[in-house]
Amino acid sequence: MRIRAKVTLTVASVAASMFAYSAAAPASFATTGSAESVAVSTGTQQALDVIRGKTRCFSYSYGDDGTSSVTVYYHNRCKHSRGLKIRVAQASDKCIWVRGGDYGSHKFKGPHPTVQSIKEVSHCG
């Protein structure tokens, strides 16, 4: 009984996703009813590349889609305050002072901004 319930749940979820996809798809794609065509068409979407890194006191991450902005997320893992210097192409550089244990984010805007370097510094200024 347990396996039949899992199979029924799986079939129902696939059917629901196919119905939702065919309702939102153009007429040329709505006529294809196989699960393989749904998987292929949704698999062609470009995934956002997430870059993660660590310094002595900081862990950071940012998405690298490079359209009109990039947001850098950071977390100070040390107990003391430190600075984080972020250099971004096509946007102004930023030095952020972060207290120990704090975290946050900073958004850089510009035409195709790309993070060039992230360094931990002892002072900003």
Side-chain angles (χ1 to χ4, degrees):
M1 185 67 181
R2 205 178 202 177
I3 293 174
R4 188 180 342 170
K6 288 182 181 179
V7 169
T8 305
L9 180 63
T10 305
V11 169
S13 66
V14 169
S17 66
M18 287 176 55
F19 176 74
Y21 180 77
S22 65
S28 62
F29 289 116
T31 57
T32 61
S34 66
E36 293 132 11
S37 65
V38 172
V40 169
S41 13
T42 59
T44 58
Q45 294 176 352
Q46 184 178 8
L48 179 68
D49 295 331
V50 176
I51 291 95
R52 300 177 195 280
K54 291 182 183 177
T55 63
R56 196 180 96 201
C57 284
F58 285 97
S59 59
Y60 60 87
S61 66
Y62 58 93
D64 191 22
D65 63 350
T67 54
S68 63
S69 68
V70 63
T71 304
V72 178
Y73 299 91
Y74 52 85
H75 177 219
N76 186 350
R77 300 173 294 149
C78 292
K79 292 183 180 181
H80 55 280
S81 298
R82 297 291 290 177
L84 191 65
K85 185 168 181 124
I86 305 169
R87 171 166 250 153
V88 179
Q90 305 297 329
S92 58
D93 300 343
K94 185 76 173 176
C95 187
I96 303 167
W97 192 253
V98 185
R99 293 185 305 179
D102 274 355
Y103 55 91
S105 63
H106 188 77
K107 188 173 193 173
F108 296 92
K109 294 181 180 180
H112 302 291
T114 29
V115 176
Q116 293 179 333
S117 66
I118 297 179
K119 296 180 184 177
E120 183 177 334
V121 294
S122 59
H123 64 280
C124 287

